[in-house]
Amino acid sequence: RVAQVTGEVEEALEVWARVVDMMRRAGPAAGTSATLQMSAALNRQAVALMSAGRPSEALPLAEQALRVWEGLMGKQNHDCKRFLANLASIMDALHRPREAQQYRNRAAVIQ
């Protein structure tokens, strides 16, 4: 069963990597909606990497996802909370509790 789950995670990572690559190639001309979708895809890819026990690989993707989302929607956007929660989990997995708490604190003030 572990091998099956590992294979499913790897397959999900490949799919999300292709999605992000296609959206990056489309560039700004694709519009705000596509850019937000790319941000969400980066976040999902980071979650899949965390599921695979690869937090150091998840970190830059999760950070980029948050930057893009906040840049378009603002730092107080409700959806930022899930990005911040994912980053807190990644920091916990990387044994960086101070940074994890900073992300939790940022999430806590978003309505």
Side-chain angles (χ1 to χ4, degrees):
R1 176 73 182 137
V2 171
Q4 180 182 356
V5 170
T6 301
E8 291 169 1
V9 168
E10 291 301 321
E11 185 177 327
L13 286 170
E14 289 175 22
V15 168
W16 288 118
R18 285 194 303 269
V19 168
V20 168
D21 185 54
M22 287 186 318
M23 291 178 173
R24 279 189 178 137
R25 278 190 265 134
T32 300
S33 178
T35 304
L36 289 173
Q37 289 175 13
M38 182 190 74
S39 177
L42 284 166
N43 193 54
R44 287 185 194 104
Q45 192 176 6
V47 169
L49 284 163
M50 277 294 293
S51 295
R54 296 159 53 185
S56 60
E57 293 174 60
L59 179 59
L61 298 176
E63 289 173 331
Q64 183 180 4
L66 178 65
R67 260 192 321 275
V68 169
W69 197 273
E70 286 180 334
L72 290 172
M73 302 302 290
K75 291 186 177 197
Q76 295 302 310
N77 179 270
H78 187 267
D79 290 322
C80 287
K81 288 178 101 167
R82 78 183 140 109
F83 292 88
L84 292 165
N86 289 340
L87 277 160
S89 295
I90 291 168
M91 291 303 178
D92 282 334
L94 293 172
H95 308 287
R96 293 162 64 176
R98 281 192 203 137
E99 290 164 283
Q101 190 59 50
Q102 289 173 346
Y103 285 120
R104 285 188 190 90
N105 292 345
R106 284 180 59 193
V109 298
I110 297 173
Q111 298 293 321

